[in-house]
Amino acid sequence: MLNDETKDRLRQRLNDVHDWPSVYMFKFIFEPQTERLDSVTALFPAEVEILRKYSAGGKYLSLTVREVMMSAEEVVERYNKASEIQGVIIL
Amino acid sequence: MTMDIDLGVLRIVLLITLSATVLWLLYRRFRYNTLMKHVPVVRHAELTSIQVGYHPTRLHLSLKLPHAQELGAQVLNDRWEQLHDWPRAIHKAGLQQWELPLEGLHDGIYYLRLTSVGQSTERQFILRSA
């Protein structure tokens, strides 16, 4: 779970860069286990676009998700939920 | 007198319109939040293994489909140009083995792209026949 300082910093940076609503690109890297993959994809609604990219040896999976976000707060909340999933690197 | 009535009617119409708009906006917000929580991403096909076969050159794929879905497959080169495209078709749920012919490709690095509705998977493979 993200601490308050990290959330504030992230919120500030997001607001500096984006005009909301905006298409936001989430990126995650993890070892491709089904439960983990399901936990990450369950964070997103059905209409999002997801690209999975495996590393050359197939040991790691990168997930790119594009979604229209209404505010920095929504993005921070999504990252906060993702940070609760074990073994997932959030970019 | 007529002006008074017109203004009164106008005020009522505006109040009704405003209330309806607020209710509509609240409904939209509620619907969005509900969808976010209760309708997660549809599960996509799992590409459990990918192997290259030779004489003739082909790809062996193992796929796990959580439910019947439409899938397409493409092969791209390292400059991301599409070289092969297999037509999209609906496949049954469960474990599946696919064999995709790759005639005419030279040795090198390529990518297999598997696409369903709204999702795609890319996986690198190397052709090394010599």
Side-chain angles (χ1 to χ4, degrees):
Chain A
M1 203 157 176
L2 303 177
N3 61 39
D4 288 345
E5 194 192 334
T6 310
K7 283 185 193 174
D8 288 343
R9 210 168 45 232
L10 179 59
R11 200 177 291 115
Q12 170 105 42
R13 284 189 191 166
L14 287 167
N15 282 327
D16 288 345
V17 176
H18 291 273
D19 290 324
W20 307 103
S22 171
V23 175
Y24 189 79
M25 192 184 285
F26 293 92
K27 274 186 182 278
F28 307 96
I29 294 176
F30 48 92
E31 290 182 28
Q33 290 166 354
T34 310
E35 297 78 23
R36 202 170 283 154
L37 178 61
D38 286 348
S39 302
V40 176
T41 52
L43 297 173
F44 297 94
E47 66 269 17
V48 297
E49 181 190 330
I50 297 183
L51 170 66
R52 303 176 187 192
K53 213 175 226 176
Y54 284 85
S55 61
K59 200 177 171 194
Y60 295 99
L61 173 63
S62 104
L63 210 71
T64 304
V65 186
R66 289 163 62 86
E67 187 187 356
V68 176
M69 301 305 281
M70 306 308 283
S71 65
E73 192 55 47
E74 269 192 2
V75 177
V76 171
E77 191 49 40
R78 201 61 62 81
Y79 275 127
N80 194 39
K81 284 183 184 166
S83 69
E84 291 172 11
I85 305 168
Q86 291 287 313
V88 176
I89 298 168
I90 302 165
L91 300 179
Chain B
M1 184 69 176
T2 313
M3 192 64 160
D4 286 346
I5 292 168
D6 285 348
L7 281 176
V9 170
L10 184 65
R11 191 168 59 194
I12 290 167
V13 168
L14 282 174
L15 277 172
I16 292 170
T17 311
L18 182 67
S19 309
T21 309
V22 169
L23 283 174
W24 181 69
L25 286 172
L26 285 172
Y27 168 72
R28 268 190 52 176
R29 189 75 195 169
F30 170 74
R31 187 172 172 273
Y32 176 76
N33 287 336
T34 308
L35 277 176
M36 289 278 284
K37 282 181 187 153
H38 301 293
V39 189
V41 167
V42 178
R43 290 178 68 192
H44 179 57
E46 295 296 332
L47 185 58
T48 52
S49 88
I50 175 168
Q51 288 182 324
V52 181
Y54 297 97
H55 311 296
T57 310
R58 61 205 183 275
L59 268 184
H60 294 286
L61 306 181
S62 299
L63 295 167
K64 201 164 117 187
L65 274 68
H67 52 86
Q69 59 187 284
E70 191 183 80
L71 285 175
Q74 295 96 38
V75 167
L76 316 168
N77 64 15
D78 55 356
R79 293 186 301 281
W80 234 241
E81 295 159 341
Q82 189 174 297
L83 304 175
H84 279 279
D85 184 17
W86 289 274
R88 294 174 77 93
I90 294 174
H91 298 272
K92 287 188 292 186
L95 291 170
Q96 293 201 17
Q97 304 288 328
W98 287 13
E99 190 170 299
L100 303 177
L102 294 176
E103 291 98 351
L105 295 187
H106 302 292
D107 287 1
I109 295 173
Y110 297 92
Y111 295 89
L112 172 78
R113 180 186 284 161
L114 198 66
T115 53
S116 63
V117 178
Q119 292 193 56
S120 59
T121 298
E122 284 165 7
R123 179 87 179 253
Q124 189 191 73
F125 65 92
I126 298 173
L127 286 189
R128 198 181 289 128
S129 53

